[in-house]
Amino acid sequence: MKDIFQEACLVQMSTSCWQGSRILEPSVMEEVGDSDWLRGRKYLVNPETLHPIRAVISRARKDLEKKALPFPIHGLTLVPKEQIGVVEEILNLHRATFYEAVQEFEEGYEEAREMARSSLGKLFSEADYPGQIRTKFDFSWTYLTIQTPGRHSILTPEIYEREKAKFAAMMQETEELCIAALRAEFADNVAHIVNRLTSQENEKPKVFKRSMMEKMQAFLDSFEARNLFDDDELQRLVSEARRIVGGVSASTLREDPFLKHQIAAEMGKVKDTLNLALVDIPRRKIHLQESHSFAA
């Protein structure tokens, strides 16, 4: 069994954001109807004031996904060793932006609370509002590795064999998840390019943006480091895509109809081959998971 932790480590990303709302008391709901059948919440501040903070969390998660791979344990993400420095830089930038947004929210906290006092009327309660609001926000991460217990560990032989089997099964699932995730991501990029470069007869030409080619190039640039389980078939298709679109910009495609048609045809062949390859991988729903909590 391949020791993947010689080539990668795990990242546990943890974030928290004040929820800014609270469940209404049953006595309040009884004024509307049977409280056993009704549930309600009240906003403690205008929800839009928290959107910038939550948006940073969302962007950080997406950027981490582009550099990492899925892992079967909730809250853990597999990062190839060549990508650790890049991930560290990305997360540091997002953390700085996160706390800038928190600072801005904190500066307007008193005003937001007074607005709530006016809007909520008798439902307003000072007890709902933390005195130190900054403690309700967090953006952090930890690097980890795991391994099966050693034969001479404190475990009994029976437990050792059981845990060894569980570890092997987890590593097998990790391989399946990583291969499926890379193929699915590549397939999405290829399909998008083919779709935007192909038009039916009498159909208005489709608009394609620079980000389309940049996204594909970013995948091609990071593929070698992320192909931890040596997916040779995908490697061949990625190399073919690199030959076809490597160095080609969106502006070049807009200015050169012949090149646009040629690339659409060649990438269409890659897409067809990839669709056949996808049939043979486990049909799992891939999610890059993050530990994410909302502080009350």
Side-chain angles (χ1 to χ4, degrees), residues 132-180:
Q132 299 296 323
I133 189 62
R134 194 176 184 86
T135 63
K136 297 299 181 179
F137 300 92
D138 180 64
F139 189 111
S140 59
W141 61 94
T142 304
Y143 296 98
L144 306 164
T145 59
I146 60 174
Q147 61 184 14
T148 186
R151 184 175 294 276
H152 301 295
S153 69
I154 62 173
L155 300 178
T156 66
E158 293 79 9
I159 295 177
Y160 165 76
E161 291 298 331
R162 184 188 70 197
E163 294 304 306
K164 179 181 177 182
K166 286 167 60 178
F167 184 81
M170 182 174 64
M171 290 300 97
Q172 179 61 42
E173 184 179 2
T174 300
E175 179 174 352
E176 293 173 2
L177 286 170
C178 290
I179 290 174

Side-chain angles (χ1 to χ4, degrees), residues 214-231:
E214 289 177 343
K215 187 176 179 181
M216 171 59 86
Q217 192 59 54
F219 177 87
L220 297 177
D221 290 344
S222 66
F223 175 74
E224 300 298 334
R226 297 171 72 201
N227 187 25
L228 293 175
F229 293 96
D230 302 321
D231 186 346

Side-chain angles (χ1 to χ4, degrees), residues 107-122:
E107 291 171 355
Y109 181 51
E110 290 300 326
E111 181 181 348
R113 186 162 59 178
E114 289 308 307
M115 183 182 297
R117 186 193 302 273
S118 173
S119 299
L120 291 174
K122 68 177 184 178

Side-chain angles (χ1 to χ4, degrees), residues 186-200 203-209 212-213 216 241 244-245 253 259-275:
F186 182 58
D188 286 344
N189 284 332
V190 171
H192 185 57
I193 287 177
V194 173
N195 176 265
R196 302 315 296 176
L197 296 183
T198 305
S199 299
Q200 300 297 324
E203 182 182 6
K204 183 179 179 180
K206 298 174 183 176
V207 176
F208 53 94
K209 302 178 181 179
M212 177 185 73
M213 300 304 293
M216 171 59 86
I244 297 169
V245 301
L253 292 175
L259 179 62
K260 173 183 173 181
H261 177 76
Q262 180 182 7
I263 288 181
E266 293 189 26
M267 290 299 284
K269 294 178 182 178
V270 173
K271 179 185 176 209
D272 292 340
T273 304
L274 186 57
N275 286 341

